[in-house]
């Protein structure tokens, strides 16, 4: 009989990629989420359980029948870790999506504080202290609880600058918004050389499945085979859109909003993927290959609607990041 997987957050950006990957490998998939809607790619192919993950009773009821694997794409803190530790008798293996932002550099600086990480960055790099003060400290607390209490095979995946269909806050919109507004030049700080390692959801899904098929505990960086610079990302998006806009790199940090992008960091963040390779993982795509279809899907998504309706997660960012006026000729 085929194996059974339960994906919490199954129709989100990461969850849908995980579901499609497992389906292609012959798994039966159930997705748990707060609504019954599914993306077209999953319609009629997965079972749906509607629940709020904060409701322990509902989560327990969803796992009345044991699953061979559970993938939690929306785990955030130590409370969520304890939910799964209490349900270990109902699952064969557990994969949890953490984040590359758990890392700090050797001086203790975070990604947001201008960390200068080793290149490449390995899984044994120092992490932030666990806590509940921000996204990264909550994710560290999540990891620590799971590592201390898991009795089933545990997989912790650490993605970086995630891209793929279904995002509520696609980084690519920074370029696309300016292209669609007719920008002639697009400035890039730090000489356009920033490298914030990208992670395709398809690659993350493949790594998750490969890890779930193995016993034991794995902590794994999840990133694309190359870490493109922001100028390379911009060039790939311009090419995908057939745009004649010109990238205009300049030295130093952004000048106000000029030159700022969602990938703009002064020092590179490049993930070491040798641990993933050692367990048999091989990437299924890279940024250049994924960009054309992703850009087309994002542009189609905004047709007939305001872009903040299409991508509500972008409301957390200042609109100046996405609505820079076209450059003068």
């Amino acid at each position: 009989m085929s194996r059974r997987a339960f994906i919490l957050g199954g129709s989100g950006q990461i969850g849908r990629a995980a579901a499609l990957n497992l389906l292609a490998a012959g798994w039966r998939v159930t997705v748990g989420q707060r609504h019954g809607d599914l993306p077209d790619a999953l319609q009629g192919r997965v079972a749906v359980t509607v629940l709020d993950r904060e409701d322990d009773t509902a989560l327990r009821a969803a796992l009345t029948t044991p699953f061979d694997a559970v993938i939690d794409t929306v785990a955030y803190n130590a409370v969520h870790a304890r939910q799964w530790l209490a349900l270990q008798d109902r699952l064969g293996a557990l994969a949890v999506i953490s984040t590359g932002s758990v890392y700090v550099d050797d001086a203790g600086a975070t990604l947001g504080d201008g960390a200068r990480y080793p290149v490449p960055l390995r899984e044994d790099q120092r992490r932030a202290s666990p806590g509940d003060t921000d996204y990264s400290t909550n994710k560290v607390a999540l990891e620590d609880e799971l590592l201390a209490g898991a009795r089933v095979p545990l997989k912790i995946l650490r993605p970086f600058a995630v891209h793929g269909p279904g995002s509520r806050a696609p980084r690519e919109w920074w370029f696309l918004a300016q292209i669609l507004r007719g920008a002639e030049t697009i400035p890039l700080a730090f000489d356009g050389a920033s490298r914030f390692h990208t992670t395709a959801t398809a690659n993350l899904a493949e790594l998750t499945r490969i890890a779930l098929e193995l016993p034991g505990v794995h902590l794994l960086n999840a990133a694309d085979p190359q870490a493109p610079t922001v100028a390379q990302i911009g060039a790939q998006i311009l090419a995908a859109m057939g745009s004649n806009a010109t990238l205009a790199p300049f030295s130093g940090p952004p000048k106000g909003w000029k030159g700022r992008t969602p990938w703009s960091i002064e020092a590179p963040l490049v993930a070491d993927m040798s641990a993933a390779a050692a367990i048999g993982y091989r990437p299924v795509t890279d940024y250049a290959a994924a960009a054309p279809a992703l850009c087309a899907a994002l542009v189609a998504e905004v047709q007939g609607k305001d872009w903040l309706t299409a991508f509500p997660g972008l409301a957390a960012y200042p609109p100046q990041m996405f609505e820079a006026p076209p450059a003068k000729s």
Side-chain angles (χ1 to χ4, degrees):
M1 295 181 63
S2 60
R3 289 167 291 183
R4 300 177 65 244
F6 181 84
I7 303 176
L8 195 57
S11 66
Q13 181 187 25
I14 293 173
R16 74 172 65 183
L20 290 170
N21 184 285
L22 290 171
L23 288 168
W27 289 62
R28 288 182 294 159
V29 176
T30 298
V31 299
Q33 54 196 37
R34 288 181 293 179
H35 55 81
D37 298 332
L38 287 172
D40 291 345
L42 297 182
Q43 289 284 350
R45 305 181 66 191
V46 301
V48 182
T49 299
V50 177
L51 78 159
D52 182 342
R53 74 93 30 82
E54 305 300 337
D55 185 338
D56 291 347
T57 301
L59 192 58
R60 178 173 291 274
L63 272 69
T64 301
T65 302
F67 285 85
D68 297 290
V70 165
I71 301 173
D72 190 348
T73 71
V74 291
Y76 177 64
N77 55 31
V79 173
H80 296 158
R82 290 193 285 271
Q83 283 182 313
W84 292 122
L85 295 178
L87 294 169
Q88 291 185 82
D89 59 330
R90 302 183 182 211
L91 50 102
L94 175 64
V96 175
I97 306 302
S98 183
T99 174
S101 73
V102 296
Y103 296 118
V104 296
D105 68 11
D106 294 339
T110 65
L111 178 63
D113 292 332
R116 294 184 174 275
Y117 297 112
V119 177
L121 178 64
R122 297 181 2 165
E123 288 86 351
D124 58 1
Q125 176 65 25
R126 179 180 173 186
R127 295 176 306 147
S129 298
D132 59 4
T133 56
D134 58 31
Y135 180 77
S136 300
T137 59
N138 270 292
K139 286 285 197 176
V140 175
L142 166 76
E143 291 187 3
D144 284 357
E145 286 277 346
L146 290 170
L147 290 166
R151 301 187 308 274
V152 298
L154 172 66
K155 320 298 170 180
I156 294 176
L157 292 306
R158 295 171 178 162
F160 294 84
V162 176
H163 61 98
S167 175
R168 292 167 57 86
R171 289 177 175 85
E172 287 70 22
W173 192 249
W174 186 88
F175 278 110
L176 293 173
Q178 296 190 67
I179 292 169
L180 294 174
R181 287 171 60 88
E184 297 173 7
T185 61
I186 300 177
L188 299 175
F190 302 122
D191 292 313
S194 296
R195 297 173 77 198
F196 182 1
H197 210 149
T198 55
T199 302
T201 54
N203 285 333
L204 176 57
E206 176 74 359
L207 176 57
T208 301
R209 181 181 58 80
I210 295 295
L212 281 170
E213 292 175 346
L214 298 173
V217 175
H218 293 89
L219 289 84
L220 297 165
N221 287 337
D224 291 341
Q226 299 88 32
T229 67
V230 67
Q232 290 170 330
I233 290 171
Q236 288 154 1
I237 293 174
L238 291 174
M241 293 293 293
S243 171
N244 292 320
T246 301
L247 299 176
F250 63 87
S251 9
K255 299 175 181 177
W257 296 109
K258 180 182 178 182
R260 188 184 301 270
T261 82
W263 301 270
S264 292
I265 52 178
E266 183 173 5
L269 195 173
V270 178
D272 187 312
M273 290 296 293
S274 58
I279 65 168
Y281 162 76
R282 299 295 181 268
V284 298
T285 190
D286 60 20
Y287 197 89
L294 177 57
C295 291
L298 293 174
V299 172
E301 182 67 18
V302 300
Q303 294 303 308
K305 65 181 78 167
D306 179 79
W307 60 269
L308 279 176
T309 301
F311 311 126
L314 294 179
Y317 298 90
Q320 299 95 318
M321 283 191 70
F322 306 95
E323 297 181 347
K328 299 291 186 182
S329 298

